[in-house]
Amino acid sequence: MRRSSGWVRMVGLFAIAGLCEVCAYGQVTAFTPLHLPDLGVASGDVAFWVGAITAISSVAGLPFLPFWGALADRYGRKPLIIRSFVSAFVALTLAAVAPNIAVFLFARVFQSLGLGNTGLMLATLAERVPAGRVGFAFGIVNGANPLGAFLGPLGGGPVVDRLGFGALVAADAVVMGIVVALLAFGYRDGFVPSATGGSLLAMARDGILLIVRSPRLRALFPAYFVFFSGWMLAYIYVPLVVARLYTGADPATAVGIVFGAGGLATLVASPLIGALADRVGHWRTLFVGGAALVVLWLGPYFARDFVTFAAAWAITNAVVSGVFSVSFNVLSSSTSDPARGRVMTFGYLPTNVGFIIGPAIGSAVATVDVFLVFPAAAALTALGVAAVAYAYRQPTLA
C-alpha cells in the first residue's frame, strides 16, 4: 500500500463529510412533508407521497451499488467516495429549483447515486485504525451523522418557515461543493487499486458473490434489512406526527426541534455505545440493543403531546443509531481482510433496503393512523433480532 494520511485525520475528514451529508439529507427528509403541498400535492395525499418518494428513490439507487465497490477496487476508494458528494450536490441543486413533484422525485432519485460512500470510508478506516480503537472510530464517524441530524433540522426549521424550502436546499448544495473540495485535497488514501483486467460487470458480480457464498453474510444482510426497516419507517413519518401534535405558527421549527433532540441524544449515545461494544463485544451489544428497541419503539406511540413525543423519539433514535453503528463492526468482523472493502461497500444496503420496505409499509399504515408506524417499527425490529440471532450461528467464509 502507498503511504496514507494518519487515521486521526481520516476520521476527522470523514466525520465532517458525513456530518454535512446527513445535515442536508436530514433537512430534506424533515421538511419534504411540509414542502409537498407547494409542489401541488393535495394534503390528503402527502402521507402516501412521503413513503412513495423515499421507496422509489431507494429502489433506483440499488442496482448501481455493486458497481461502486467494483469501481473502487479498479480506480481507488477515494474517487468513489468523492463521487457520492458530487451526486448530492447535483441532486440538491435540482431539488432547490424543482417546480413540481416530478422534478423533485427525479432529484431524489439522482441523490441515490451517492450510495456506498460510508461503507468505503469505514473500509478505509478498518485498515488504518488500531484494532482496539475500531469501534470508537466507527462510532465517531457514524456519530457525526446524528450531529448532522441535530444541527440540520434544528437550524433549517426557522429558515424554511421564513425563507422557504428552496433557499435551505440551495445552501446545502453549496456546502456539498465545499465537502467535495475538502475530500479531494484533504487526505491521501494508501489503498492500491486492483490490477485485474476483468470487466466491471464481472467485478460487480463477484462483489455480490462474496456475500452470497458466505453463510453468515448471506443471513446477516437480510437480517439487517428487517432489523433497520422499522427505523426507516418511523423516521420519515416523524414530521407528520409532529404536525399532528404541534398547533403553533412555526411547524418547520417544531419538526427541527424534534429531529434536533434525536440527533443530540444520538451524538452522545453513539460513541458511548461503540466504546461499550469494544469492551463487552459487538454481537452482544447488537442483541441487547435490539431487544431494548422492541420496547422503546412503543414510547413514541403512546406519547400524545409534543414534549413527551420529542423526549421519547430522542431516546429511541439514540439507541437505534448506536446499535446501527455497532452493526458495522459486526459486518466488518464477519468477512476476511481481502474481501472487507468490497463487502463494506454494501454496509449501508440495510438502510437503503429499509428505505424501501419501511416506507412501503408506512404508505399504507400511516394513511390509517400515522402513530401506527411505531408499533410497526417494534414488530420489524423483533423480527430482525431473531434473524440476526440466526446469522450469528452461521460460519464465516468470505
mmCIF file with all atom_site columns, all heavy atoms in Angstrom, residues 151-167:
data_model
loop_
_atom_site.group_PDB
_atom_site.id
_atom_site.type_symbol
_atom_site.label_atom_id
_atom_site.label_alt_id
_atom_site.label_comp_id
_atom_site.label_asym_id
_atom_site.label_entity_id
_atom_site.label_seq_id
_atom_site.pdbx_PDB_ins_code
_atom_site.Cartn_x
_atom_site.Cartn_y
_atom_site.Cartn_z
_atom_site.occupancy
_atom_site.B_iso_or_equiv
_atom_site.pdbx_formal_charge
_atom_site.auth_seq_id
_atom_site.auth_comp_id
_atom_site.auth_asym_id
_atom_site.auth_atom_id
_atom_site.pdbx_PDB_model_num
ATOM 1   N N   . LEU A 1 151 ? -28.086 19.304 14.015 1.00 0.00 ? 151 LEU A N   1
ATOM 2   C CA  . LEU A 1 151 ? -27.877 20.664 13.535 1.00 0.00 ? 151 LEU A CA  1
ATOM 3   C C   . LEU A 1 151 ? -28.735 20.977 12.313 1.00 0.00 ? 151 LEU A C   1
ATOM 4   O O   . LEU A 1 151 ? -29.242 22.103 12.176 1.00 0.00 ? 151 LEU A O   1
ATOM 5   C CB  . LEU A 1 151 ? -26.401 20.867 13.197 1.00 0.00 ? 151 LEU A CB  1
ATOM 6   C CG  . LEU A 1 151 ? -25.415 20.782 14.368 1.00 0.00 ? 151 LEU A CG  1
ATOM 7   C CD1 . LEU A 1 151 ? -23.983 20.900 13.850 1.00 0.00 ? 151 LEU A CD1 1
ATOM 8   C CD2 . LEU A 1 151 ? -25.698 21.854 15.400 1.00 0.00 ? 151 LEU A CD2 1
ATOM 9   N N   . GLY A 1 152 ? -28.881 19.989 11.412 1.00 0.00 ? 152 GLY A N   1
ATOM 10  C CA  . GLY A 1 152 ? -29.592 20.238 10.162 1.00 0.00 ? 152 GLY A CA  1
ATOM 11  C C   . GLY A 1 152 ? -31.031 20.678 10.363 1.00 0.00 ? 152 GLY A C   1
ATOM 12  O O   . GLY A 1 152 ? -31.394 21.818 10.059 1.00 0.00 ? 152 GLY A O   1
ATOM 13  N N   . PRO A 1 153 ? -31.895 19.801 10.876 1.00 0.00 ? 153 PRO A N   1
ATOM 14  C CA  . PRO A 1 153 ? -33.290 20.200 11.053 1.00 0.00 ? 153 PRO A CA  1
ATOM 15  C C   . PRO A 1 153 ? -33.476 21.340 12.051 1.00 0.00 ? 153 PRO A C   1
ATOM 16  O O   . PRO A 1 153 ? -34.338 22.196 11.859 1.00 0.00 ? 153 PRO A O   1
ATOM 17  C CB  . PRO A 1 153 ? -33.954 18.918 11.558 1.00 0.00 ? 153 PRO A CB  1
ATOM 18  C CG  . PRO A 1 153 ? -33.080 17.819 11.053 1.00 0.00 ? 153 PRO A CG  1
ATOM 19  C CD  . PRO A 1 153 ? -31.689 18.377 11.120 1.00 0.00 ? 153 PRO A CD  1
ATOM 20  N N   . LEU A 1 154 ? -32.658 21.369 13.122 1.00 0.00 ? 154 LEU A N   1
ATOM 21  C CA  . LEU A 1 154 ? -32.817 22.410 14.126 1.00 0.00 ? 154 LEU A CA  1
ATOM 22  C C   . LEU A 1 154 ? -32.530 23.788 13.532 1.00 0.00 ? 154 LEU A C   1
ATOM 23  O O   . LEU A 1 154 ? -33.271 24.745 13.760 1.00 0.00 ? 154 LEU A O   1
ATOM 24  C CB  . LEU A 1 154 ? -31.877 22.142 15.305 1.00 0.00 ? 154 LEU A CB  1
ATOM 25  C CG  . LEU A 1 154 ? -32.108 22.996 16.562 1.00 0.00 ? 154 LEU A CG  1
ATOM 26  C CD1 . LEU A 1 154 ? -33.483 22.749 17.144 1.00 0.00 ? 154 LEU A CD1 1
ATOM 27  C CD2 . LEU A 1 154 ? -31.031 22.692 17.599 1.00 0.00 ? 154 LEU A CD2 1
ATOM 28  N N   . GLY A 1 155 ? -31.448 23.881 12.752 1.00 0.00 ? 155 GLY A N   1
ATOM 29  C CA  . GLY A 1 155 ? -31.138 25.154 12.117 1.00 0.00 ? 155 GLY A CA  1
ATOM 30  C C   . GLY A 1 155 ? -31.969 25.417 10.882 1.00 0.00 ? 155 GLY A C   1
ATOM 31  O O   . GLY A 1 155 ? -32.220 26.573 10.521 1.00 0.00 ? 155 GLY A O   1
ATOM 32  N N   . GLY A 1 156 ? -32.401 24.344 10.214 1.00 0.00 ? 156 GLY A N   1
ATOM 33  C CA  . GLY A 1 156 ? -33.146 24.519 8.974  1.00 0.00 ? 156 GLY A CA  1
ATOM 34  C C   . GLY A 1 156 ? -34.593 24.899 9.161  1.00 0.00 ? 156 GLY A C   1
ATOM 35  O O   . GLY A 1 156 ? -35.188 25.550 8.292  1.00 0.00 ? 156 GLY A O   1
ATOM 36  N N   . GLY A 1 157 ? -35.192 24.509 10.299 1.00 0.00 ? 157 GLY A N   1
ATOM 37  C CA  . GLY A 1 157 ? -36.604 24.808 10.529 1.00 0.00 ? 157 GLY A CA  1
ATOM 38  C C   . GLY A 1 157 ? -36.935 26.281 10.417 1.00 0.00 ? 157 GLY A C   1
ATOM 39  O O   . GLY A 1 157 ? -37.839 26.668 9.642  1.00 0.00 ? 157 GLY A O   1
ATOM 40  N N   . PRO A 1 158 ? -36.235 27.152 11.148 1.00 0.00 ? 158 PRO A N   1
ATOM 41  C CA  . PRO A 1 158 ? -36.529 28.587 11.017 1.00 0.00 ? 158 PRO A CA  1
ATOM 42  C C   . PRO A 1 158 ? -36.294 29.121 9.605  1.00 0.00 ? 158 PRO A C   1
ATOM 43  O O   . PRO A 1 158 ? -37.001 30.038 9.161  1.00 0.00 ? 158 PRO A O   1
ATOM 44  C CB  . PRO A 1 158 ? -35.558 29.227 12.020 1.00 0.00 ? 158 PRO A CB  1
ATOM 45  C CG  . PRO A 1 158 ? -35.296 28.162 13.028 1.00 0.00 ? 158 PRO A CG  1
ATOM 46  C CD  . PRO A 1 158 ? -35.294 26.878 12.236 1.00 0.00 ? 158 PRO A CD  1
ATOM 47  N N   . VAL A 1 159 ? -35.306 28.552 8.898  1.00 0.00 ? 159 VAL A N   1
ATOM 48  C CA  . VAL A 1 159 ? -35.046 29.000 7.528  1.00 0.00 ? 159 VAL A CA  1
ATOM 49  C C   . VAL A 1 159 ? -36.239 28.675 6.632  1.00 0.00 ? 159 VAL A C   1
ATOM 50  O O   . VAL A 1 159 ? -36.690 29.507 5.827  1.00 0.00 ? 159 VAL A O   1
ATOM 51  C CB  . VAL A 1 159 ? -33.765 28.352 6.970  1.00 0.00 ? 159 VAL A CB  1
ATOM 52  C CG1 . VAL A 1 159 ? -33.557 28.736 5.507  1.00 0.00 ? 159 VAL A CG1 1
ATOM 53  C CG2 . VAL A 1 159 ? -32.558 28.764 7.791  1.00 0.00 ? 159 VAL A CG2 1
ATOM 54  N N   . VAL A 1 160 ? -36.763 27.453 6.778  1.00 0.00 ? 160 VAL A N   1
ATOM 55  C CA  . VAL A 1 160 ? -37.922 27.063 5.966  1.00 0.00 ? 160 VAL A CA  1
ATOM 56  C C   . VAL A 1 160 ? -39.133 27.924 6.305  1.00 0.00 ? 160 VAL A C   1
ATOM 57  O O   . VAL A 1 160 ? -39.874 28.362 5.409  1.00 0.00 ? 160 VAL A O   1
ATOM 58  C CB  . VAL A 1 160 ? -38.239 25.572 6.185  1.00 0.00 ? 160 VAL A CB  1
ATOM 59  C CG1 . VAL A 1 160 ? -39.547 25.188 5.490  1.00 0.00 ? 160 VAL A CG1 1
ATOM 60  C CG2 . VAL A 1 160 ? -37.105 24.704 5.660  1.00 0.00 ? 160 VAL A CG2 1
ATOM 61  N N   . ASP A 1 161 ? -39.358 28.185 7.597  1.00 0.00 ? 161 ASP A N   1
ATOM 62  C CA  . ASP A 1 161 ? -40.510 28.998 7.999  1.00 0.00 ? 161 ASP A CA  1
ATOM 63  C C   . ASP A 1 161 ? -40.431 30.419 7.451  1.00 0.00 ? 161 ASP A C   1
ATOM 64  O O   . ASP A 1 161 ? -41.466 31.043 7.180  1.00 0.00 ? 161 ASP A O   1
ATOM 65  C CB  . ASP A 1 161 ? -40.608 29.050 9.530  1.00 0.00 ? 161 ASP A CB  1
ATOM 66  C CG  . ASP A 1 161 ? -41.194 27.772 10.124 1.00 0.00 ? 161 ASP A CG  1
ATOM 67  O OD1 . ASP A 1 161 ? -41.997 27.121 9.442  1.00 0.00 ? 161 ASP A OD1 1
ATOM 68  O OD2 . ASP A 1 161 ? -40.835 27.435 11.275 1.00 0.00 ? 161 ASP A OD2 1
ATOM 69  N N   . ARG A 1 162 ? -39.210 30.937 7.248  1.00 0.00 ? 162 ARG A N   1
ATOM 70  C CA  . ARG A 1 162 ? -39.056 32.336 6.849  1.00 0.00 ? 162 ARG A CA  1
ATOM 71  C C   . ARG A 1 162 ? -38.649 32.523 5.385  1.00 0.00 ? 162 ARG A C   1
ATOM 72  O O   . ARG A 1 162 ? -39.111 33.460 4.722  1.00 0.00 ? 162 ARG A O   1
ATOM 73  C CB  . ARG A 1 162 ? -38.038 33.011 7.764  1.00 0.00 ? 162 ARG A CB  1
ATOM 74  C CG  . ARG A 1 162 ? -38.609 33.241 9.165  1.00 0.00 ? 162 ARG A CG  1
ATOM 75  C CD  . ARG A 1 162 ? -37.539 33.411 10.214 1.00 0.00 ? 162 ARG A CD  1
ATOM 76  N NE  . ARG A 1 162 ? -38.118 33.616 11.539 1.00 0.00 ? 162 ARG A NE  1
ATOM 77  C CZ  . ARG A 1 162 ? -38.622 32.636 12.300 1.00 0.00 ? 162 ARG A CZ  1
ATOM 78  N NH1 . ARG A 1 162 ? -38.623 31.393 11.856 1.00 0.00 ? 162 ARG A NH1 1
ATOM 79  N NH2 . ARG A 1 162 ? -39.157 32.910 13.472 1.00 0.00 ? 162 ARG A NH2 1
ATOM 80  N N   . LEU A 1 163 ? -37.796 31.648 4.867  1.00 0.00 ? 163 LEU A N   1
ATOM 81  C CA  . LEU A 1 163 ? -37.293 31.826 3.501  1.00 0.00 ? 163 LEU A CA  1
ATOM 82  C C   . LEU A 1 163 ? -37.782 30.758 2.530  1.00 0.00 ? 163 LEU A C   1
ATOM 83  O O   . LEU A 1 163 ? -37.667 30.938 1.313  1.00 0.00 ? 163 LEU A O   1
ATOM 84  C CB  . LEU A 1 163 ? -35.756 31.850 3.506  1.00 0.00 ? 163 LEU A CB  1
ATOM 85  C CG  . LEU A 1 163 ? -35.096 32.952 4.342  1.00 0.00 ? 163 LEU A CG  1
ATOM 86  C CD1 . LEU A 1 163 ? -33.573 32.815 4.291  1.00 0.00 ? 163 LEU A CD1 1
ATOM 87  C CD2 . LEU A 1 163 ? -35.525 34.328 3.862  1.00 0.00 ? 163 LEU A CD2 1
ATOM 88  N N   . GLY A 1 164 ? -38.245 29.635 3.061  1.00 0.00 ? 164 GLY A N   1
ATOM 89  C CA  . GLY A 1 164 ? -38.737 28.586 2.189  1.00 0.00 ? 164 GLY A CA  1
ATOM 90  C C   . GLY A 1 164 ? -37.777 27.423 2.032  1.00 0.00 ? 164 GLY A C   1
ATOM 91  O O   . GLY A 1 164 ? -36.577 27.539 2.297  1.00 0.00 ? 164 GLY A O   1
ATOM 92  N N   . PHE A 1 165 ? -38.314 26.297 1.593  1.00 0.00 ? 165 PHE A N   1
ATOM 93  C CA  . PHE A 1 165 ? -37.557 25.061 1.412  1.00 0.00 ? 165 PHE A CA  1
ATOM 94  C C   . PHE A 1 165 ? -36.442 25.225 0.381  1.00 0.00 ? 165 PHE A C   1
ATOM 95  O O   . PHE A 1 165 ? -35.328 24.737 0.567  1.00 0.00 ? 165 PHE A O   1
ATOM 96  C CB  . PHE A 1 165 ? -38.531 23.956 0.996  1.00 0.00 ? 165 PHE A CB  1
ATOM 97  C CG  . PHE A 1 165 ? -37.902 22.607 0.800  1.00 0.00 ? 165 PHE A CG  1
ATOM 98  C CD1 . PHE A 1 165 ? -37.748 21.743 1.868  1.00 0.00 ? 165 PHE A CD1 1
ATOM 99  C CD2 . PHE A 1 165 ? -37.499 22.188 -0.460 1.00 0.00 ? 165 PHE A CD2 1
ATOM 100 C CE1 . PHE A 1 165 ? -37.186 20.487 1.693  1.00 0.00 ? 165 PHE A CE1 1
ATOM 101 C CE2 . PHE A 1 165 ? -36.943 20.936 -0.657 1.00 0.00 ? 165 PHE A CE2 1
ATOM 102 C CZ  . PHE A 1 165 ? -36.783 20.078 0.430  1.00 0.00 ? 165 PHE A CZ  1
ATOM 103 N N   . GLY A 1 166 ? -36.727 25.910 -0.715 1.00 0.00 ? 166 GLY A N   1
ATOM 104 C CA  . GLY A 1 166 ? -35.753 26.045 -1.792 1.00 0.00 ? 166 GLY A CA  1
ATOM 105 C C   . GLY A 1 166 ? -34.483 26.746 -1.358 1.00 0.00 ? 166 GLY A C   1
ATOM 106 O O   . GLY A 1 166 ? -33.376 26.347 -1.741 1.00 0.00 ? 166 GLY A O   1
ATOM 107 N N   . ALA A 1 167 ? -34.607 27.791 -0.544 1.00 0.00 ? 167 ALA A N   1
ATOM 108 C CA  . ALA A 1 167 ? -33.429 28.526 -0.081 1.00 0.00 ? 167 ALA A CA  1
ATOM 109 C C   . ALA A 1 167 ? -32.540 27.643 0.787  1.00 0.00 ? 167 ALA A C   1
ATOM 110 O O   . ALA A 1 167 ? -31.304 27.682 0.684  1.00 0.00 ? 167 ALA A O   1
ATOM 111 C CB  . ALA A 1 167 ? -33.866 29.768 0.697  1.00 0.00 ? 167 ALA A CB  1
#
